[in-house]
Amino acid sequence: QVQLAQSGGGSVQAGGSLRLSCAASKYIYNHWGWFRQAPGKEREGVARLNIRSGATLYADSVTGRFTISRDNADGTVYLLMNSLQPEDTGVYYCAADSVGGPGWRLRPGYFTYWGQGTQVTVSS
């Protein structure tokens, strides 16, 4: 059994910050990602991390504002979101996979295990 324990989220004003957390309760996965989905829209890749190489990948819309990282002491994976804007509003999901798909891309289908999702709302 594998469970991704996801926490964080909430409501903030534009320009504010939030930090989301995610961890696998049973297994260690090499590849981690964060995705978001707004109502009526496709699920969108936000960031991913290869914990073996340390490589990161960000969507153009969040580059320079969001940071994906891992606490090597306990394995928790974070998404730090700074300078939040209303367009960042949506349900955010963490995801994990042992391989991370056939390419270095932000694709939901490249990840097998998912957190439960949490709402992030940014108001102007």
Side-chain angles (χ1 to χ4, degrees):
Q1 295 181 258
V2 174
Q3 181 178 8
L4 301 186
Q6 182 176 344
S7 62
S11 298
V12 298
Q13 296 283 339
S17 298
L18 286 171
R19 189 178 72 168
L20 309 181
S21 302
C22 190
S25 63
K26 183 66 173 180
Y27 302 105
I28 298 175
Y29 295 99
N30 293 327
H31 297 269
W32 293 81
W34 289 96
F35 298 81
R36 66 188 182 189
Q37 187 167 22
K41 297 185 178 181
E42 298 288 328
R43 187 167 298 187
E44 174 189 27
V46 175
R48 68 176 290 178
L49 168 69
N50 180 336
I51 68 170
R52 298 179 70 186
S53 68
T56 58
L57 178 66
Y58 297 94
D60 290 343
S61 60
V62 308
T63 296
R65 299 187 297 120
F66 291 10
T67 303
I68 185 171
S69 63
R70 179 176 184 264
D71 185 337
N72 292 328
D74 63 12
T76 302
V77 175
Y78 299 99
L79 182 68
L80 175 62
M81 303 181 290
N82 292 324
S83 302
L84 283 162
Q85 302 297 315
E87 64 193 23
D88 297 315
T89 293
V91 178
Y92 282 68
Y93 302 88
C94 66
D97 194 81
S98 60
V99 177
W104 185 238
R105 296 171 180 172
L106 286 165
R107 301 281 180 84
Y110 286 6
F111 295 84
T112 301
Y113 304 100
W114 294 81
Q116 78 278 12
T118 186
Q119 178 71 38
V120 171
T121 301
V122 185
S123 61
S124 60

